[in-house]
Amino acid sequence: MSDATLHATHQNPDDFAVQIADQIESFLVAVTEVAKGDEPDSAVPFLLLEVSQLLLAGGRLGAHEDIVPDERYEPDPGPEPDVDELRENLARLLDPIDVYSEVFDPYEPRKAPVPARISDDLTDVITDLRHGMAHYRAGRTTEALWWWQFSYFSNWGSTASATLRALQSVVAHVRLNQPLAELDGLDTDQGMGDETLEIEAGKVMAQEIAGPLGLRPRAVKTPRG
């Protein structure tokens, strides 16, 4: 199945496989476009939307009964596309909020948060999704669904979920005027008090994060007299 026939008119748009493939294809195209950096002002809000929509497809795959592939061994989908350029473009675009902390497994006790990168996470997710898309485009629909479901549980589901949490946190910090605790470029050894430090952190957040990434603080409502 080629790109031209991916959404052929003879396919039932209500079919589960078609809907999942459509959502995944939309995510792949959208993130690739964002990574080009043509519209940096809308990068973070757009990624927040796209990852949210992808996780809807993941939730449907997770809730679906186990998908059994037609063949015992996975057919060779061909060489994996290189994602290094995509990763580098995303890292450059998302600086300085690329690095965040996450807890890998919330049900595993006493696990400390570990550093992660949104750019790494997005490219890891894309690698998994492209692998399944190669099967789908070749007409191996069941194989594609099996791979997307399996890799949702084993990798891209948790990775996309962590990425969504990081993106949502960035948007929330800016829209609610809540300064981030630490930011690169902010000198915390200047002997400033906590209140002054918080104000300065808010200024840095607005200048280095909010403006370049297309985020605007939420307007503060004042009580009426």
Side-chain angles (χ1 to χ4, degrees):
M1 183 180 296
S2 65
D3 287 340
T5 59
L6 179 59
H7 307 296
T9 55
H10 70 273
Q11 293 179 306
N12 184 352
D14 295 327
D15 185 76
F16 178 77
V18 173
Q19 292 177 355
I20 295 297
D22 280 346
Q23 288 178 286
I24 289 175
E25 176 74 2
S26 175
F27 177 82
L28 293 174
V29 171
V31 176
T32 301
E33 287 299 312
V34 169
K36 294 178 180 178
D38 295 336
E39 298 183 19
D41 289 349
S42 59
V44 169
F46 198 59
L47 288 174
L48 176 67
L49 175 62
E50 291 300 323
V51 176
S52 298
Q53 292 178 333
L54 174 67
L55 283 170
L56 173 60
R60 296 183 66 191
L61 287 165
H64 198 281
E65 62 183 6
D66 287 349
I67 298 168
V68 181
D70 296 328
E71 302 178 27
R72 182 177 179 182
Y73 298 103
E74 180 185 9
D76 184 5
E80 298 285 354
D82 182 54
V83 294
D84 286 343
E85 183 178 359
L86 178 66
R87 178 184 288 107
E88 292 170 1
N89 289 342
L90 286 169
R92 190 161 45 247
L93 180 66
L94 295 172
D95 184 61
I97 52 95
D98 194 24
V99 178
Y100 70 99
S101 62
E102 69 158 324
V103 177
F104 184 71
D105 189 340
Y107 285 100
E108 194 169 343
R110 294 180 294 280
K111 281 291 185 180
V114 296
R117 289 182 179 274
I118 297 176
S119 55
D120 288 342
D121 289 350
L122 288 174
T123 47
D124 285 348
V125 170
I126 283 176
T127 297
D128 277 346
L129 299 180
R130 281 178 174 174
H131 186 93
M133 187 59 71
H135 287 305
Y136 187 80
R137 287 172 173 158
R140 297 186 291 268
T141 302
T142 304
E143 187 71 36
L145 289 174
W146 172 84
W147 172 259
W148 285 328
Q149 185 186 60
F150 167 75
S151 57
Y152 169 76
F153 287 127
S154 63
N155 185 48
W156 74 260
S158 59
T159 302
S161 297
T163 305
L164 178 66
R165 182 70 183 92
L167 292 167
Q168 189 273 339
S169 180
V170 171
V171 174
H173 273 290
V174 174
R175 297 293 297 277
L176 299 178
N177 297 314
Q178 296 175 343
L180 299 176
E182 296 180 6
L183 289 171
D184 292 338
L186 180 64
D187 187 358
T188 59
D189 297 326
Q190 296 175 345
M192 295 184 292
D194 291 341
E195 182 177 351
T196 304
L197 184 61
E198 181 177 341
I199 293 173
E200 292 301 317
K203 291 178 180 178
V204 173
M205 182 175 69
Q207 293 173 3
E208 296 189 2
I209 295 179
L213 295 179
L215 302 175
R216 295 294 180 269
R218 181 182 180 184
V220 178
K221 294 183 178 180
T222 56
R224 296 183 180 181

